[in-house]
Amino acid sequence: MNLKMKFLLPALALILVGMAATTFVTYSKSTSTLVGLAKQKADGDLHSLLSLVDEWVGGTQNEIITISNVDIMAKAVSGGSDSALAMDGALALLRDVAKRNPALQSILIINSQGIVVADSLNNLTGKNLGAEHISSRPFWGKTSFQTH
């Protein structure tokens, strides 16, 4: 073997080993940096999503509270002479809220005996919920929110 080859092969081997070590260290640090950045992004996205959900729930509750204080709602559950007409108006309001908030399964108006007098989906109207857990606390004259 000549003199050039005796020096070139070890030098080439050192260069390749050095490049491999540098590449491995860079890759390891890059990977850990990317993992850290991905975790930070995920945390930020999660907090943003939770804020949006809280805002949506609060907005929906405020909307229902607002319509529950409308005179037509009081007339609908009072059973007066114009309660049928008022009930139609109350149901229209409930259905509008349900359309704007598709995640809501149903919005109910329950009288003091626990009977559903209005339902945005019309599948529980007339049902007595007095013995069920949904109406276990007093509702009469109060607005209440429950999720299931």
Side-chain angles (χ1 to χ4, degrees):
M1 202 189 276
N2 66 19
L3 194 58
K4 285 183 181 178
M5 291 305 273
K6 285 182 180 180
F7 286 109
L8 283 178
L9 286 177
L12 183 62
L14 284 174
I15 290 172
L16 289 176
V17 168
M19 286 177 59
T22 304
T23 302
F24 177 75
V25 169
T26 303
Y27 173 77
S28 297
K29 288 188 178 187
S30 297
T31 303
S32 65
T33 301
L34 288 174
V35 167
L37 290 173
K39 285 180 180 178
Q40 285 177 338
K41 175 91 170 107
D43 285 344
D45 290 348
L46 179 62
H47 290 298
S48 296
L49 182 60
L50 288 173
S51 295
L52 287 172
V53 168
D54 286 343
E55 186 176 320
W56 175 78
V57 168
T60 303
Q61 287 179 345
N62 287 337
E63 188 173 9
I64 292 171
I65 288 170
T66 301
I67 67 167
S68 71
N69 292 322
V70 175
D71 288 340
I72 201 163
M73 289 292 186
K75 288 179 184 176
V77 295
S78 68
S81 60
D82 58 349
S83 65
L85 183 60
M87 187 61 71
D88 289 340
L91 281 171
L93 288 173
L94 292 178
R95 288 186 183 122
D96 285 343
V97 171
K99 282 180 190 173
R100 283 189 297 277
N101 301 284
L104 294 176
Q105 292 180 353
S106 184
I107 303 171
L108 309 174
I109 299 175
I110 303 172
N111 68 12
S112 60
Q113 291 81 34
I115 297 173
V116 178
V117 294
D119 174 10
S120 62
L121 298 177
N122 284 334
N123 58 357
L124 292 175
T125 303
K127 184 173 181 181
N128 186 351
L129 299 179
E132 296 188 26
H133 70 280
I134 193 169
S135 61
S136 61
R137 59 186 169 167
F139 281 114
W140 192 34
K142 297 179 182 171
T143 303
S144 177
F145 300 93
Q146 291 187 349
T147 58
H148 298 280

